[in-house]
Amino acid sequence: MANEEAIKKELEEKFDFLKDKIIIPRERRLFTEPVEIEDFLKAIEYAASKMDFDILTTITGLDEGESIVAIYHLARKDGTMLNLKSKTPKENPVMKTISNLFNGAVFYERELVDMLGVQMEGLPEGKRYPLPDDWPEGQYPLRKEWKREMLDAKP
Amino acid sequence: MSKLTIPIGPQHPALKEPECFIITVDGERICEANMRLGYNHRGIEKRCEEITYIQSAYLIERVCGICSHSHSTAFIQAVEEIAGLEVPKRGLYIRTLFGELERIHSHLLWLGVAGHEIGFDTLLMYSWRDREIVMDILAMVSGNRVNYGMNSIGGVKRDISPEQADAILKAMDDLEERTKYYIELGLQETTLIKRLSGAGSISYEDATRLGAVGPTARASKVDQDVRRDDPYAAYAELEFNVITDDHNDVYGRTLVRLGELMESYKLVRQLIKNMPDGPIRKKGPRKIPAGEAISRYEAPRGEDVHYVKANGTDKAFRVKVRAPTLANLSAVSKMLEGDYLADVPIVIAAIDPCFSCTDRMAVRNIRGGATEMHNPGSLRNFSIDWYRRRGIDFTDLNKKLMKRLERV
């Protein structure tokens, strides 16, 4: 686990906001606790450019009640995965695109937009994904309060 | 010549699944390729939050009909990691064995599809004939040709008898001999080489930048394979090579898959030879303690990622599935740029796309303006009625099945 500890140490030294917020559940896995968007962007840019975490496997969006959390699952060639989390208030969820860092992120970000109603700043124009074009506005299926019955409710 | 935009799909003879590619052409050359996905979205992630882990394992297996074992293993691995469950060695070996058998059937299937897309239907007939050998093996051991239902939380459900092991080894010999023939064909058949070379080209830099995975990435010299880099199940104890190629095109992807078939035969033999004795599973808990895990699996098409967050109940708080096709689609847009319109089917087919995996939801069934809502229970009843109206009645069979389930 020396490798994982080294990554943890490097991140903690570099970023104050990650202090005591990195967990190593097992070999080759690191999870952080959710941090604010601006902080998160600094951390992901550093991890991608300086620490070889250059593979973005996917982004998971979670409805945590008060806030929407996005987990960015980064990987590098040796199999280590760094799971960086960012959070935004559910009242007004705004995130910033990382498609400038990872060109392949666009689909994963569109999923956050459709499924959790996140406003993604800087996301390139394009077709929505994955919900249909006539999906009712303001309904985000992966939010906890969303129920199937809401689809048929009269607006 | 002025530019022209052609929509291909969502329903189109050249595509096997619903997806829409919006292709802008200048004459025969493609200048831009966009896509609209989501036609197969079935809401599986949301549904997994409403049903128990045991039910989810069955549902997740149905994310995809071809790499079903990949999805169920990836999901169950994540659950087992959160629960701190140690799977018995024999269970891990059987799980890995199924993973490799699945890869064999999937790659042979792909080879046939690729042959068909370039008008080489003899190859389709040959490789699908040979695929039956491995399908018979899968059916013999698990009882099913697809959706094997082998995995359970804590291990696997069925053991492999010595007779079955012998049959598998025999099948590997037959398949190896035939695959050697396909490799020879791939290296010598001029028509095949000319047709596939240069189609859907993508450089190493673009493949990494766009996050391509699996054989698609490996054919552009991207040396990554989760089985080796982040070993799971029994892979840490097995010897195999990661096949890469530097053709960067559809031809390269063909060679990589053929090479991987040979590696899979090798792996299956090792698994049978070294399979330890002992139990095949450990009973898993119904309630999974709070925690989160991310599980990676090298599916036939590339890396399959499942994230599970548990909150201490018997239902998952969140399940996230990232199928390999979604990771490869950004690369497809890039591959198509500058190619000929006639190459579209084979270039798309060359990533071995699976859109059912990629999309996962649809709760509405619109018929004549009325919206019908279906959940799995009502869908089941719908199917029973549908068959009954056509004179096929499963009632007795269902009763028998329920009785059997109660006994278990």
Side-chain angles (χ1 to χ4, degrees):
Chain A
M1 302 271 269
N3 187 14
E4 292 79 355
E5 292 292 347
I7 296 168
K8 180 177 170 173
K9 201 164 159 241
E10 184 174 349
L11 279 171
E12 283 186 340
E13 274 172 12
K14 183 82 191 160
F15 301 108
D16 257 355
F17 53 83
L18 284 176
K19 206 143 186 64
D20 302 321
K21 283 193 171 173
I22 303 176
I23 306 147
I24 306 174
R26 74 154 166 102
E27 230 186 326
R28 296 190 297 272
R29 293 286 185 277
L30 292 108
F31 281 88
T32 70
E33 275 173 39
V35 294
E36 297 298 333
I37 301 290
E38 296 303 326
D39 291 341
F40 158 77
L41 287 173
K42 282 182 218 149
I44 195 168
E45 196 173 343
Y46 183 79
S49 55
K50 299 273 166 20
M51 298 177 81
D52 298 330
F53 282 100
D54 52 3
I55 308 166
L56 175 74
T57 53
T58 190
I59 307 172
T60 304
L62 293 142
D63 176 0
E64 296 266 21
E66 296 283 290
S67 51
I68 302 279
V69 172
I71 314 175
Y72 293 72
H73 307 284
L74 305 182
R76 67 180 193 190
K77 299 265 174 332
D78 66 357
T80 313
M81 270 194 123
L82 175 64
N83 302 280
L84 287 172
K85 295 183 189 174
S86 78
K87 64 174 176 190
T88 176
K90 196 170 161 184
E91 296 279 295
N92 180 27
V94 182
M95 289 185 183
K96 286 208 175 80
T97 181
I98 54 153
S99 53
N100 50 334
L101 275 177
F102 297 96
N103 295 155
V106 176
F107 280 119
Y108 311 137
E109 292 185 336
R110 285 198 209 291
E111 253 187 284
L112 290 180
V113 173
D114 259 22
M115 306 302 278
L116 285 153
V118 173
Q119 207 185 315
M120 194 61 74
E121 282 180 2
L123 188 65
E125 296 259 315
K127 303 273 179 198
R128 71 183 296 175
Y129 175 77
L131 297 175
D133 291 332
D134 61 349
W135 187 264
E137 231 173 276
Q139 294 205 19
Y140 307 111
L142 280 181
R143 289 199 179 181
K144 290 291 174 192
E145 71 271 10
W146 190 86
K147 296 277 173 290
R148 280 195 293 264
E149 294 71 31
M150 285 165 67
L151 262 186
D152 265 358
K154 294 275 176 294
Chain B
M1 199 179 281
S2 64
K3 287 180 182 172
L4 187 69
T5 302
I6 308 171
I8 301 181
Q11 309 298 334
H12 192 276
L15 305 171
K16 304 282 173 288
E17 281 182 279
E19 66 270 0
C20 183
F21 292 90
I22 303 133
I23 311 257
T24 309
V25 286
D26 185 355
E28 277 295 305
R29 289 274 182 187
I30 299 165
C31 10
E32 203 190 339
N34 287 310
M35 56 190 87
R36 171 71 171 102
L37 309 161
Y39 297 97
N40 272 341
H41 204 125
R42 284 155 288 158
I44 287 180
E45 288 177 7
K46 180 78 179 176
R47 184 66 188 154
C48 284
E49 295 173 8
E50 299 164 352
I51 56 181
T52 65
Y53 287 100
I54 295 158
Q55 290 171 313
S56 294
Y58 286 93
L59 183 62
I60 287 283
E61 186 151 14
R62 279 146 184 83
V63 164
C64 176
I66 296 176
C67 40
S68 57
H69 188 76
S70 309
H71 284 287
S72 83
T73 308
F75 170 73
I76 280 172
Q77 278 180 174
V79 177
E80 285 165 352
E81 190 182 320
I82 302 171
L85 208 61
E86 203 153 307
V87 181
K89 268 259 164 87
R90 192 176 173 86
L92 286 180
Y93 267 69
I94 295 176
R95 209 179 253 180
T96 317
L97 179 72
F98 259 73
E100 287 310 313
L101 290 173
E102 185 177 76
R103 192 180 320 276
I104 295 168
H105 107 68
S106 178
H107 279 3
L108 284 170
L109 179 117
W110 178 84
L111 190 64
V113 172
H116 171 73
E117 297 292 4
I118 58 169
F120 189 3
D121 278 306
T122 318
L123 183 61
L124 164 76
M125 298 297 175
Y126 273 33
S127 67
W128 281 37
R129 175 199 65 191
D130 297 343
R131 177 172 169 263
E132 284 306 303
I133 300 175
V134 67
M135 296 307 274
D136 287 346
I137 294 285
L138 288 165
M140 175 186 74
V141 181
S142 74
N144 291 316
R145 282 166 62 89
V146 289
N147 294 341
Y148 324 105
M150 282 297 278
N151 276 321
S152 74
I153 297 168
V156 291
K157 288 180 196 155
R158 285 165 194 264
D159 205 349
I160 289 187
S161 69
E163 296 77 38
Q164 287 172 336
D166 287 344
I168 295 172
L169 289 177
K170 165 83 181 40
M172 289 306 117
D173 292 343
D174 293 348
L175 284 168
E176 185 168 11
E177 190 194 316
R178 293 182 190 183
T179 309
K180 276 186 185 150
Y181 170 69
Y182 297 133
I183 292 176
E184 203 180 309
L185 191 86
L187 294 174
Q188 290 175 7
E189 175 64 42
T190 328
T191 341
L192 187 86
I193 300 171
K194 291 252 185 234
R195 180 69 187 86
L196 299 179
S197 295
S201 197
I202 189 159
S203 65
Y204 171 86
E205 289 73 28
D206 282 336
T208 11
R209 183 173 62 83
L210 295 166
V213 293
T216 309
R218 287 196 283 274
S220 296
K221 209 73 190 145
V222 182
D223 189 13
Q224 71 182 38
D225 189 320
V226 181
R227 292 178 293 172
R228 180 199 60 198
D229 303 337
D230 192 357
Y232 54 90
Y235 284 110
E237 295 163 24
L238 301 170
E239 256 180 62
F240 62 99
N241 299 319
V242 174
I243 308 287
T244 56
D245 193 272
D246 53 7
H247 280 87
N248 299 356
D249 51 14
V250 180
Y251 181 56
R253 277 157 230 155
T254 313
L255 295 182
V256 166
R257 288 197 177 90
L258 286 170
E260 283 184 7
L261 277 173
M262 298 303 278
E263 291 301 313
S264 288
Y265 305 145
K266 218 166 88 186
L267 279 167
V268 169
R269 290 200 184 103
Q270 285 179 50
L271 284 160
I272 299 266
K273 190 168 152 248
N274 304 334
M275 193 170 291
D277 289 328
I280 53 167
R281 70 167 154 165
K282 199 172 178 180
K283 199 170 167 9
R286 287 181 66 85
K287 286 184 181 168
I288 306 294
E292 59 186 343
I294 180 141
S295 154
R296 306 165 85 188
Y297 183 103
E298 188 70 30
R301 295 163 169 73
E303 183 186 352
D304 183 16
V305 184
H306 282 230
Y307 168 85
V308 178
K309 185 173 171 121
N311 56 359
T313 63
D314 61 348
K315 296 183 180 76
F317 179 78
R318 175 83 166 96
V319 177
K320 163 81 187 165
V321 181
R322 200 293 317 266
T325 300
L326 188 58
N328 277 333
L329 281 171
S330 304
V332 168
S333 293
K334 180 74 197 157
M335 286 174 199
L336 287 172
E337 278 170 28
D339 254 24
Y340 288 108
L341 183 62
D343 286 343
V344 170
I346 182 64
V347 170
I348 296 171
I351 68 158
D352 200 0
C354 183
F355 291 93
S356 290
C357 287
T358 302
D359 316 331
R360 296 165 303 273
M361 167 162 171
V363 281
R364 304 212 283 184
N365 172 17
I366 299 167
R367 194 173 289 155
T371 308
E372 287 176 27
M373 299 289 297
H374 279 303
N375 59 38
S378 73
L379 259 185
R380 187 170 167 274
N381 290 335
F382 179 80
S383 76
I384 292 171
D385 278 352
W386 193 89
Y387 279 108
R388 197 175 282 150
R389 281 200 301 275
R390 284 157 183 81
I392 305 163
D393 200 337
F394 287 122
T395 322
D396 284 349
L397 207 68
N398 278 331
K399 270 184 198 150
K400 270 184 210 156
L401 192 72
M402 291 312 280
K403 242 184 208 156
R404 234 188 107 182
L405 283 176
E406 274 163 23
R407 267 211 310 276
V408 177

